[in-house]
Amino acid sequence: MQREAPVARHPRWRNRAPAHLVNGASVAIGVALVHTACAVFAGAPVAQIATGGAVCASLADGTGTSHGTWRRVLAAGALGWLASTIVWLLQTHPVALGLAIGAIAFVAMMTMAWGQRAGPISFAPLLAIVFTMSLPPEAQSTLEPIGWDAAGVLGYLLWSRLSTSALQRVYRTRALLDALEATARLFRARADLLESPAVASEAALQPWIGDETRLADRLQSARDLLFTAPDSPLARRETALLLRTIDLRDVLLASRLDLDLLGDDAGARAVRGRVAGALRRIAAALDACIEALQTGRAARFAWADPEAGERLVAASVLDATLAPEDPRARLLPAFTARLQRIESGVRAIAALAAGEHETIPLSREQLRLFAAPDAWPPGALRAHFSVQSPVFRHAIRMALALAGAYFIARVLPWASHPHWLVLGVAVVLRGTLEQTLSRRNERVSGTVVGCVLVLLLGHSQSRGLMELSFFIGVGIAHAFVTVRYRVTAVAATVMALLQAYLVDPGVPLAVVERLSDTLLGALLAWAFSYVLPSWERRGLPASIERALAALGAYARHSLRTDPRAAVEQRMARRAAYDALGAIAGALQRSRAEPRSVRPPSLELSTMIDAGQRLMAHLSVIRMSLALRGETQRTREVAAAMHSAHESLQHALDPARPSDATATAAAARALECEAPPRVAPEADPAAWLLRRLRIATADAWAVRSSADDALARLGEEWVAPQAQRR
């Protein structure tokens, strides 16, 4: 590393303020500017109509790249305006309006065919329905509301273009800090798992799986922002920091290897405890690096002196209570070497945080390959026009729920605000039961608090205070929608009640009606979540096959020694992490589903654990190959690598039949496998040969657990059907 000329740092608030709060404040300012500009030209009531269009467009204004955010804001605003126009035209035809609401909901939810990035876009038309239906009767006889709604969309689109470009550096820095924070949390989760009395149990693995999923999401968000940034000294430094952070996850996985060979006596528990303690100290060092990035001061942690750091990490394992003659003591140098490799990575992160420069192994063009695609191909939509698609099923479910909510609201005693019941269902009903139940509880409690706040505001009788509260509600609701939805529910309730009042001040603040509609909407959403349900088990067979194929591709690239294949290897590694993460996410969401349809959690947890163990072995093999020079055992190593490659591809190819004999033989060999009698540095080839054999056994373990999960999925799915017949 070399120190390069210092780069101007952001003001401290930019590094400390969470990205979602910065984004929420930007949205609130943008909506307020649109409102103010329109109020100057046409008055406050009309400006509030334009504000509705701006709010719908603002839903898609996130912390992403400038180009991608601009396109999403345009799509959300356009769909919202189109929905407003349809609702406005059908205001005097209740039956047609109810059917149109269902059709709009179907089209809106089908946008989820492009993935989670389309989530805010899909909600914009639904919110537009609510805003348009809240217009006073005198506004329904003129085209003016539609024109001002479009003005609000265009005004906010201009603001989004300017503000997102100005905040890109803030978003990049925060995405990097979030990734580092998630990495430190994962280190602590691994330490807790090592000290768990049942390391491989499903209950012990759940927190680890959750933290793995969280880290994967944050790493991808950071990739999207940093890898697509224009080249600059700061961008190169932050990119180097992110690449180091990504590599840390690999080395962390490797830190668990061979610990199962220790057994479960007092000596083994002492070793695992020392490793866990070292991981927690490393997590604390990452916290110090985060603080250094935020404050601009050098990171300060326990191993400020490199030699002291090596002694600190080594002592954490080598001083464990294992007798020198104990065969397991031969494993301790390997444990220490891995911890020192992690410590070296954290040192590099600390140096980069302090202003050091590090050469990036990939070009900007290569880095952009790792960012999530920003295209919207029509083929993605066509692929989901099937009743088997969870997107299509949810679109039908939402269409029936919102149309039903509208018609139910028409016959209720308090039918003056049928759009509130529509909104109550729209915000609670999600694509999975787990998400719906979570939204249901948070929505109800948040609405109660929001209604209390609106009652307090109503006593002031100050339009200026209400407008200010509305804009604050817009920003808070936007900022916390993916962070803490209960806060969003409070702010959204304030925003919705004040929006209706500010558009038509003659209408009283119907707080009791709002509470009633929220409760009924939550119940309706809960009930409709069982209509054409998309249980997680439906997509798991395909996810398991994708995971096997991704692990096979990563194994194939890990055994290659061509340094020019770095991009392909990194892409294969990310695909493998993502594939295992998709199964982990489905497993977590399924815990809220009825027991009769839950997938086999033990088999899937075992597969995820075995898959991560295999990836750890492959990472160690890849690093060993990169460091290994010519030895007297080169031919033996080459033959073993060829054999391991064939076995790995057979085991991880979902198109090839499983081999029970090979699986059993690999398991027996693994049980008999003992570490070499010499230290890794004395005979690296012996340890590499052993690692190849263990990786092969783990690949067959992954395949075996995958086959068991698929078998259970098939059996448990057919049984309820047969019982009903």
PDB file of all heavy atoms in Angstrom, residues 673-705:
ATOM      1  N   GLU A 673     -10.703 -39.225   8.190  1.00  0.00           N
ATOM      2  CA  GLU A 673      -9.698 -38.242   7.787  1.00  0.00           C
ATOM      3  C   GLU A 673      -9.050 -37.610   9.009  1.00  0.00           C
ATOM      4  O   GLU A 673      -9.726 -37.114   9.904  1.00  0.00           O
ATOM      5  CB  GLU A 673     -10.344 -37.149   6.933  1.00  0.00           C
ATOM      6  CG  GLU A 673      -9.379 -36.142   6.374  1.00  0.00           C
ATOM      7  CD  GLU A 673      -8.529 -36.710   5.264  1.00  0.00           C
ATOM      8  OE1 GLU A 673      -9.043 -37.493   4.455  1.00  0.00           O
ATOM      9  OE2 GLU A 673      -7.341 -36.377   5.223  1.00  0.00           O
ATOM     10  N   ALA A 674      -7.750 -37.654   9.081  1.00  0.00           N
ATOM     11  CA  ALA A 674      -7.000 -37.038  10.170  1.00  0.00           C
ATOM     12  C   ALA A 674      -6.088 -35.974   9.590  1.00  0.00           C
ATOM     13  O   ALA A 674      -5.631 -36.089   8.456  1.00  0.00           O
ATOM     14  CB  ALA A 674      -6.176 -38.084  10.907  1.00  0.00           C
ATOM     15  N   PRO A 675      -5.829 -34.926  10.347  1.00  0.00           N
ATOM     16  CA  PRO A 675      -4.944 -33.885   9.835  1.00  0.00           C
ATOM     17  C   PRO A 675      -3.526 -34.410   9.654  1.00  0.00           C
ATOM     18  O   PRO A 675      -3.102 -35.333  10.346  1.00  0.00           O
ATOM     19  CB  PRO A 675      -5.004 -32.809  10.924  1.00  0.00           C
ATOM     20  CG  PRO A 675      -5.429 -33.529  12.159  1.00  0.00           C
ATOM     21  CD  PRO A 675      -6.321 -34.633  11.710  1.00  0.00           C
ATOM     22  N   PRO A 676      -2.778 -33.859   8.716  1.00  0.00           N
ATOM     23  CA  PRO A 676      -1.385 -34.274   8.539  1.00  0.00           C
ATOM     24  C   PRO A 676      -0.596 -34.094   9.833  1.00  0.00           C
ATOM     25  O   PRO A 676      -0.941 -33.282  10.693  1.00  0.00           O
ATOM     26  CB  PRO A 676      -0.880 -33.343   7.432  1.00  0.00           C
ATOM     27  CG  PRO A 676      -2.110 -32.923   6.700  1.00  0.00           C
ATOM     28  CD  PRO A 676      -3.196 -32.858   7.731  1.00  0.00           C
ATOM     29  N   ARG A 677       0.480 -34.861   9.957  1.00  0.00           N
ATOM     30  CA  ARG A 677       1.274 -34.834  11.183  1.00  0.00           C
ATOM     31  C   ARG A 677       2.250 -33.673  11.226  1.00  0.00           C
ATOM     32  O   ARG A 677       2.997 -33.526  12.193  1.00  0.00           O
ATOM     33  CB  ARG A 677       2.037 -36.155  11.338  1.00  0.00           C
ATOM     34  CG  ARG A 677       1.123 -37.349  11.543  1.00  0.00           C
ATOM     35  CD  ARG A 677       1.915 -38.638  11.746  1.00  0.00           C
ATOM     36  NE  ARG A 677       1.035 -39.751  12.033  1.00  0.00           N
ATOM     37  CZ  ARG A 677       0.565 -40.048  13.245  1.00  0.00           C
ATOM     38  NH1 ARG A 677       0.921 -39.316  14.290  1.00  0.00           N
ATOM     39  NH2 ARG A 677      -0.236 -41.067  13.422  1.00  0.00           N
ATOM     40  N   VAL A 678       2.292 -32.887  10.158  1.00  0.00           N
ATOM     41  CA  VAL A 678       3.191 -31.740  10.108  1.00  0.00           C
ATOM     42  C   VAL A 678       2.376 -30.465   9.980  1.00  0.00           C
ATOM     43  O   VAL A 678       1.205 -30.486   9.591  1.00  0.00           O
ATOM     44  CB  VAL A 678       4.173 -31.851   8.908  1.00  0.00           C
ATOM     45  CG1 VAL A 678       5.104 -33.028   9.097  1.00  0.00           C
ATOM     46  CG2 VAL A 678       3.412 -31.957   7.600  1.00  0.00           C
ATOM     47  N   ALA A 679       3.000 -29.350  10.317  1.00  0.00           N
ATOM     48  CA  ALA A 679       2.314 -28.062  10.238  1.00  0.00           C
ATOM     49  C   ALA A 679       2.073 -27.682   8.780  1.00  0.00           C
ATOM     50  O   ALA A 679       2.793 -28.139   7.891  1.00  0.00           O
ATOM     51  CB  ALA A 679       3.151 -26.993  10.931  1.00  0.00           C
ATOM     52  N   PRO A 680       1.077 -26.837   8.502  1.00  0.00           N
ATOM     53  CA  PRO A 680       0.777 -26.459   7.112  1.00  0.00           C
ATOM     54  C   PRO A 680       1.957 -25.827   6.389  1.00  0.00           C
ATOM     55  O   PRO A 680       2.174 -26.089   5.204  1.00  0.00           O
ATOM     56  CB  PRO A 680      -0.379 -25.457   7.268  1.00  0.00           C
ATOM     57  CG  PRO A 680      -1.004 -25.791   8.574  1.00  0.00           C
ATOM     58  CD  PRO A 680       0.104 -26.272   9.450  1.00  0.00           C
ATOM     59  N   GLU A 681       2.743 -25.010   7.100  1.00  0.00           N
ATOM     60  CA  GLU A 681       3.855 -24.359   6.417  1.00  0.00           C
ATOM     61  C   GLU A 681       4.981 -25.338   6.095  1.00  0.00           C
ATOM     62  O   GLU A 681       5.781 -25.092   5.184  1.00  0.00           O
ATOM     63  CB  GLU A 681       4.395 -23.196   7.260  1.00  0.00           C
ATOM     64  CG  GLU A 681       4.889 -23.603   8.643  1.00  0.00           C
ATOM     65  CD  GLU A 681       3.791 -23.556   9.688  1.00  0.00           C
ATOM     66  OE1 GLU A 681       2.607 -23.508   9.295  1.00  0.00           O
ATOM     67  OE2 GLU A 681       4.123 -23.582  10.877  1.00  0.00           O
ATOM     68  N   ALA A 682       5.037 -26.471   6.825  1.00  0.00           N
ATOM     69  CA  ALA A 682       6.093 -27.449   6.560  1.00  0.00           C
ATOM     70  C   ALA A 682       5.780 -28.297   5.336  1.00  0.00           C
ATOM     71  O   ALA A 682       6.691 -28.680   4.589  1.00  0.00           O
ATOM     72  CB  ALA A 682       6.298 -28.342   7.785  1.00  0.00           C
ATOM     73  N   ASP A 683       4.508 -28.620   5.130  1.00  0.00           N
ATOM     74  CA  ASP A 683       4.121 -29.431   3.966  1.00  0.00           C
ATOM     75  C   ASP A 683       2.761 -28.951   3.472  1.00  0.00           C
ATOM     76  O   ASP A 683       1.732 -29.579   3.729  1.00  0.00           O
ATOM     77  CB  ASP A 683       4.068 -30.916   4.347  1.00  0.00           C
ATOM     78  CG  ASP A 683       3.919 -31.820   3.123  1.00  0.00           C
ATOM     79  OD1 ASP A 683       3.808 -31.278   2.001  1.00  0.00           O
ATOM     80  OD2 ASP A 683       3.910 -33.053   3.292  1.00  0.00           O
ATOM     81  N   PRO A 684       2.721 -27.828   2.759  1.00  0.00           N
ATOM     82  CA  PRO A 684       1.426 -27.290   2.301  1.00  0.00           C
ATOM     83  C   PRO A 684       0.693 -28.234   1.367  1.00  0.00           C
ATOM     84  O   PRO A 684      -0.539 -28.241   1.323  1.00  0.00           O
ATOM     85  CB  PRO A 684       1.815 -25.986   1.599  1.00  0.00           C
ATOM     86  CG  PRO A 684       3.260 -26.125   1.268  1.00  0.00           C
ATOM     87  CD  PRO A 684       3.853 -26.980   2.336  1.00  0.00           C
ATOM     88  N   ALA A 685       1.440 -29.053   0.606  1.00  0.00           N
ATOM     89  CA  ALA A 685       0.779 -29.965  -0.323  1.00  0.00           C
ATOM     90  C   ALA A 685      -0.069 -30.980   0.420  1.00  0.00           C
ATOM     91  O   ALA A 685      -1.167 -31.336  -0.026  1.00  0.00           O
ATOM     92  CB  ALA A 685       1.819 -30.658  -1.198  1.00  0.00           C
ATOM     93  N   ALA A 686       0.436 -31.492   1.561  1.00  0.00           N
ATOM     94  CA  ALA A 686      -0.329 -32.476   2.327  1.00  0.00           C
ATOM     95  C   ALA A 686      -1.651 -31.894   2.804  1.00  0.00           C
ATOM     96  O   ALA A 686      -2.693 -32.553   2.753  1.00  0.00           O
ATOM     97  CB  ALA A 686       0.503 -32.959   3.520  1.00  0.00           C
ATOM     98  N   TRP A 687      -1.607 -30.655   3.258  1.00  0.00           N
ATOM     99  CA  TRP A 687      -2.837 -30.017   3.716  1.00  0.00           C
ATOM    100  C   TRP A 687      -3.766 -29.698   2.550  1.00  0.00           C
ATOM    101  O   TRP A 687      -4.985 -29.788   2.680  1.00  0.00           O
ATOM    102  CB  TRP A 687      -2.500 -28.741   4.493  1.00  0.00           C
ATOM    103  CG  TRP A 687      -1.953 -29.037   5.856  1.00  0.00           C
ATOM    104  CD1 TRP A 687      -0.670 -29.372   6.160  1.00  0.00           C
ATOM    105  CD2 TRP A 687      -2.687 -29.052   7.079  1.00  0.00           C
ATOM    106  NE1 TRP A 687      -0.541 -29.595   7.510  1.00  0.00           N
ATOM    107  CE2 TRP A 687      -1.775 -29.397   8.106  1.00  0.00           C
ATOM    108  CE3 TRP A 687      -3.998 -28.806   7.433  1.00  0.00           C
ATOM    109  CZ2 TRP A 687      -2.144 -29.502   9.436  1.00  0.00           C
ATOM    110  CZ3 TRP A 687      -4.378 -28.905   8.761  1.00  0.00           C
ATOM    111  CH2 TRP A 687      -3.462 -29.251   9.754  1.00  0.00           C
ATOM    112  N   LEU A 688      -3.226 -29.349   1.391  1.00  0.00           N
ATOM    113  CA  LEU A 688      -4.049 -29.102   0.218  1.00  0.00           C
ATOM    114  C   LEU A 688      -4.743 -30.381  -0.238  1.00  0.00           C
ATOM    115  O   LEU A 688      -5.936 -30.368  -0.568  1.00  0.00           O
ATOM    116  CB  LEU A 688      -3.203 -28.529  -0.912  1.00  0.00           C
ATOM    117  CG  LEU A 688      -3.914 -28.293  -2.251  1.00  0.00           C
ATOM    118  CD1 LEU A 688      -5.089 -27.340  -2.083  1.00  0.00           C
ATOM    119  CD2 LEU A 688      -2.946 -27.756  -3.292  1.00  0.00           C
ATOM    120  N   LEU A 689      -4.016 -31.507  -0.243  1.00  0.00           N
ATOM    121  CA  LEU A 689      -4.614 -32.784  -0.629  1.00  0.00           C
ATOM    122  C   LEU A 689      -5.750 -33.151   0.325  1.00  0.00           C
ATOM    123  O   LEU A 689      -6.808 -33.634  -0.110  1.00  0.00           O
ATOM    124  CB  LEU A 689      -3.550 -33.880  -0.633  1.00  0.00           C
ATOM    125  CG  LEU A 689      -2.475 -33.763  -1.730  1.00  0.00           C
ATOM    126  CD1 LEU A 689      -1.349 -34.755  -1.474  1.00  0.00           C
ATOM    127  CD2 LEU A 689      -3.088 -33.999  -3.099  1.00  0.00           C
ATOM    128  N   ARG A 690      -5.515 -32.910   1.605  1.00  0.00           N
ATOM    129  CA  ARG A 690      -6.566 -33.200   2.583  1.00  0.00           C
ATOM    130  C   ARG A 690      -7.779 -32.307   2.337  1.00  0.00           C
ATOM    131  O   ARG A 690      -8.924 -32.761   2.395  1.00  0.00           O
ATOM    132  CB  ARG A 690      -6.027 -32.975   3.991  1.00  0.00           C
ATOM    133  CG  ARG A 690      -7.082 -33.095   5.098  1.00  0.00           C
ATOM    134  CD  ARG A 690      -6.457 -32.895   6.469  1.00  0.00           C
ATOM    135  NE  ARG A 690      -7.477 -32.971   7.491  1.00  0.00           N
ATOM    136  CZ  ARG A 690      -8.189 -31.931   7.919  1.00  0.00           C
ATOM    137  NH1 ARG A 690      -7.979 -30.728   7.384  1.00  0.00           N
ATOM    138  NH2 ARG A 690      -9.094 -32.080   8.863  1.00  0.00           N
ATOM    139  N   ARG A 691      -7.539 -31.034   2.042  1.00  0.00           N
ATOM    140  CA  ARG A 691      -8.649 -30.114   1.821  1.00  0.00           C
ATOM    141  C   ARG A 691      -9.464 -30.520   0.590  1.00  0.00           C
ATOM    142  O   ARG A 691     -10.687 -30.397   0.584  1.00  0.00           O
ATOM    143  CB  ARG A 691      -8.085 -28.698   1.631  1.00  0.00           C
ATOM    144  CG  ARG A 691      -9.121 -27.606   1.622  1.00  0.00           C
ATOM    145  CD  ARG A 691      -9.754 -27.405   2.978  1.00  0.00           C
ATOM    146  NE  ARG A 691      -8.774 -27.044   3.981  1.00  0.00           N
ATOM    147  CZ  ARG A 691      -8.946 -27.225   5.277  1.00  0.00           C
ATOM    148  NH1 ARG A 691     -10.070 -27.772   5.723  1.00  0.00           N
ATOM    149  NH2 ARG A 691      -8.014 -26.886   6.138  1.00  0.00           N
ATOM    150  N   LEU A 692      -8.812 -31.019  -0.442  1.00  0.00           N
ATOM    151  CA  LEU A 692      -9.523 -31.482  -1.631  1.00  0.00           C
ATOM    152  C   LEU A 692     -10.425 -32.658  -1.302  1.00  0.00           C
ATOM    153  O   LEU A 692     -11.560 -32.754  -1.783  1.00  0.00           O
ATOM    154  CB  LEU A 692      -8.526 -31.863  -2.723  1.00  0.00           C
ATOM    155  CG  LEU A 692      -7.778 -30.699  -3.399  1.00  0.00           C
ATOM    156  CD1 LEU A 692      -6.628 -31.230  -4.246  1.00  0.00           C
ATOM    157  CD2 LEU A 692      -8.730 -29.871  -4.259  1.00  0.00           C
ATOM    158  N   ARG A 693      -9.923 -33.560  -0.476  1.00  0.00           N
ATOM    159  CA  ARG A 693     -10.752 -34.722  -0.100  1.00  0.00           C
ATOM    160  C   ARG A 693     -11.952 -34.288   0.742  1.00  0.00           C
ATOM    161  O   ARG A 693     -13.068 -34.785   0.558  1.00  0.00           O
ATOM    162  CB  ARG A 693      -9.899 -35.742   0.661  1.00  0.00           C
ATOM    163  CG  ARG A 693      -8.826 -36.418  -0.191  1.00  0.00           C
ATOM    164  CD  ARG A 693      -8.196 -37.591   0.530  1.00  0.00           C
ATOM    165  NE  ARG A 693      -7.401 -37.160   1.686  1.00  0.00           N
ATOM    166  CZ  ARG A 693      -6.115 -36.862   1.651  1.00  0.00           C
ATOM    167  NH1 ARG A 693      -5.459 -36.916   0.493  1.00  0.00           N
ATOM    168  NH2 ARG A 693      -5.470 -36.513   2.744  1.00  0.00           N
ATOM    169  N   ILE A 694     -11.737 -33.360   1.665  1.00  0.00           N
ATOM    170  CA  ILE A 694     -12.843 -32.902   2.508  1.00  0.00           C
ATOM    171  C   ILE A 694     -13.863 -32.125   1.677  1.00  0.00           C
ATOM    172  O   ILE A 694     -15.086 -32.259   1.870  1.00  0.00           O
ATOM    173  CB  ILE A 694     -12.307 -32.025   3.656  1.00  0.00           C
ATOM    174  CG1 ILE A 694     -11.395 -32.842   4.562  1.00  0.00           C
ATOM    175  CG2 ILE A 694     -13.456 -31.452   4.467  1.00  0.00           C
ATOM    176  CD1 ILE A 694     -10.764 -32.028   5.673  1.00  0.00           C
ATOM    177  N   ALA A 695     -13.391 -31.301   0.736  1.00  0.00           N
ATOM    178  CA  ALA A 695     -14.310 -30.558  -0.121  1.00  0.00           C
ATOM    179  C   ALA A 695     -15.189 -31.505  -0.921  1.00  0.00           C
ATOM    180  O   ALA A 695     -16.392 -31.260  -1.099  1.00  0.00           O
ATOM    181  CB  ALA A 695     -13.528 -29.634  -1.055  1.00  0.00           C
ATOM    182  N   THR A 696     -14.598 -32.602  -1.402  1.00  0.00           N
ATOM    183  CA  THR A 696     -15.381 -33.595  -2.139  1.00  0.00           C
ATOM    184  C   THR A 696     -16.454 -34.202  -1.249  1.00  0.00           C
ATOM    185  O   THR A 696     -17.617 -34.360  -1.659  1.00  0.00           O
ATOM    186  CB  THR A 696     -14.456 -34.695  -2.675  1.00  0.00           C
ATOM    187  OG1 THR A 696     -13.482 -34.102  -3.552  1.00  0.00           O
ATOM    188  CG2 THR A 696     -15.248 -35.734  -3.443  1.00  0.00           C
ATOM    189  N   ALA A 697     -16.065 -34.546  -0.009  1.00  0.00           N
ATOM    190  CA  ALA A 697     -17.043 -35.114   0.920  1.00  0.00           C
ATOM    191  C   ALA A 697     -18.153 -34.113   1.231  1.00  0.00           C
ATOM    192  O   ALA A 697     -19.335 -34.477   1.315  1.00  0.00           O
ATOM    193  CB  ALA A 697     -16.340 -35.554   2.206  1.00  0.00           C
ATOM    194  N   ASP A 698     -17.801 -32.847   1.390  1.00  0.00           N
ATOM    195  CA  ASP A 698     -18.815 -31.826   1.674  1.00  0.00           C
ATOM    196  C   ASP A 698     -19.747 -31.620   0.484  1.00  0.00           C
ATOM    197  O   ASP A 698     -20.941 -31.344   0.657  1.00  0.00           O
ATOM    198  CB  ASP A 698     -18.139 -30.508   2.044  1.00  0.00           C
ATOM    199  CG  ASP A 698     -17.713 -30.474   3.498  1.00  0.00           C
ATOM    200  OD1 ASP A 698     -18.281 -31.222   4.299  1.00  0.00           O
ATOM    201  OD2 ASP A 698     -16.800 -29.694   3.834  1.00  0.00           O
ATOM    202  N   ALA A 699     -19.209 -31.726  -0.729  1.00  0.00           N
ATOM    203  CA  ALA A 699     -20.069 -31.594  -1.908  1.00  0.00           C
ATOM    204  C   ALA A 699     -21.117 -32.693  -1.930  1.00  0.00           C
ATOM    205  O   ALA A 699     -22.291 -32.445  -2.232  1.00  0.00           O
ATOM    206  CB  ALA A 699     -19.217 -31.646  -3.177  1.00  0.00           C
ATOM    207  N   TRP A 700     -20.702 -33.922  -1.598  1.00  0.00           N
ATOM    208  CA  TRP A 700     -21.680 -35.008  -1.541  1.00  0.00           C
ATOM    209  C   TRP A 700     -22.651 -34.806  -0.378  1.00  0.00           C
ATOM    210  O   TRP A 700     -23.819 -35.195  -0.469  1.00  0.00           O
ATOM    211  CB  TRP A 700     -20.969 -36.355  -1.422  1.00  0.00           C
ATOM    212  CG  TRP A 700     -20.383 -36.814  -2.720  1.00  0.00           C
ATOM    213  CD1 TRP A 700     -19.067 -36.944  -3.038  1.00  0.00           C
ATOM    214  CD2 TRP A 700     -21.123 -37.201  -3.895  1.00  0.00           C
ATOM    215  NE1 TRP A 700     -18.923 -37.377  -4.331  1.00  0.00           N
ATOM    216  CE2 TRP A 700     -20.174 -37.544  -4.880  1.00  0.00           C
ATOM    217  CE3 TRP A 700     -22.475 -37.279  -4.202  1.00  0.00           C
ATOM    218  CZ2 TRP A 700     -20.542 -37.968  -6.147  1.00  0.00           C
ATOM    219  CZ3 TRP A 700     -22.843 -37.688  -5.474  1.00  0.00           C
ATOM    220  CH2 TRP A 700     -21.894 -38.029  -6.432  1.00  0.00           C
ATOM    221  N   ALA A 701     -22.189 -34.177   0.711  1.00  0.00           N
ATOM    222  CA  ALA A 701     -23.103 -33.881   1.817  1.00  0.00           C
ATOM    223  C   ALA A 701     -24.146 -32.850   1.390  1.00  0.00           C
ATOM    224  O   ALA A 701     -25.323 -32.953   1.761  1.00  0.00           O
ATOM    225  CB  ALA A 701     -22.304 -33.371   3.021  1.00  0.00           C
ATOM    226  N   VAL A 702     -23.714 -31.848   0.611  1.00  0.00           N
ATOM    227  CA  VAL A 702     -24.669 -30.873   0.082  1.00  0.00           C
ATOM    228  C   VAL A 702     -25.695 -31.570  -0.802  1.00  0.00           C
ATOM    229  O   VAL A 702     -26.911 -31.340  -0.683  1.00  0.00           O
ATOM    230  CB  VAL A 702     -23.932 -29.781  -0.724  1.00  0.00           C
ATOM    231  CG1 VAL A 702     -24.933 -28.889  -1.454  1.00  0.00           C
ATOM    232  CG2 VAL A 702     -23.058 -28.934   0.182  1.00  0.00           C
ATOM    233  N   ARG A 703     -25.227 -32.441  -1.672  1.00  0.00           N
ATOM    234  CA  ARG A 703     -26.141 -33.132  -2.578  1.00  0.00           C
ATOM    235  C   ARG A 703     -27.094 -34.032  -1.809  1.00  0.00           C
ATOM    236  O   ARG A 703     -28.295 -34.101  -2.114  1.00  0.00           O
ATOM    237  CB  ARG A 703     -25.339 -33.958  -3.590  1.00  0.00           C
ATOM    238  CG  ARG A 703     -26.214 -34.721  -4.596  1.00  0.00           C
ATOM    239  CD  ARG A 703     -27.085 -33.746  -5.408  1.00  0.00           C
ATOM    240  NE  ARG A 703     -27.944 -34.441  -6.338  1.00  0.00           N
ATOM    241  CZ  ARG A 703     -27.608 -34.707  -7.606  1.00  0.00           C
ATOM    242  NH1 ARG A 703     -26.428 -34.307  -8.082  1.00  0.00           N
ATOM    243  NH2 ARG A 703     -28.445 -35.320  -8.402  1.00  0.00           N
ATOM    244  N   SER A 704     -26.584 -34.704  -0.785  1.00  0.00           N
ATOM    245  CA  SER A 704     -27.439 -35.595   0.002  1.00  0.00           C
ATOM    246  C   SER A 704     -28.536 -34.817   0.724  1.00  0.00           C
ATOM    247  O   SER A 704     -29.712 -35.213   0.710  1.00  0.00           O
ATOM    248  CB  SER A 704     -26.590 -36.363   1.015  1.00  0.00           C
ATOM    249  OG  SER A 704     -27.398 -37.175   1.835  1.00  0.00           O
ATOM    250  N   SER A 705     -28.160 -33.701   1.369  1.00  0.00           N
ATOM    251  CA  SER A 705     -29.168 -32.905   2.070  1.00  0.00           C
ATOM    252  C   SER A 705     -30.142 -32.267   1.081  1.00  0.00           C
ATOM    253  O   SER A 705     -31.337 -32.132   1.376  1.00  0.00           O
ATOM    254  CB  SER A 705     -28.496 -31.829   2.922  1.00  0.00           C
ATOM    255  OG  SER A 705     -27.658 -31.009   2.134  1.00  0.00           O
TER     256      SER A 705
END
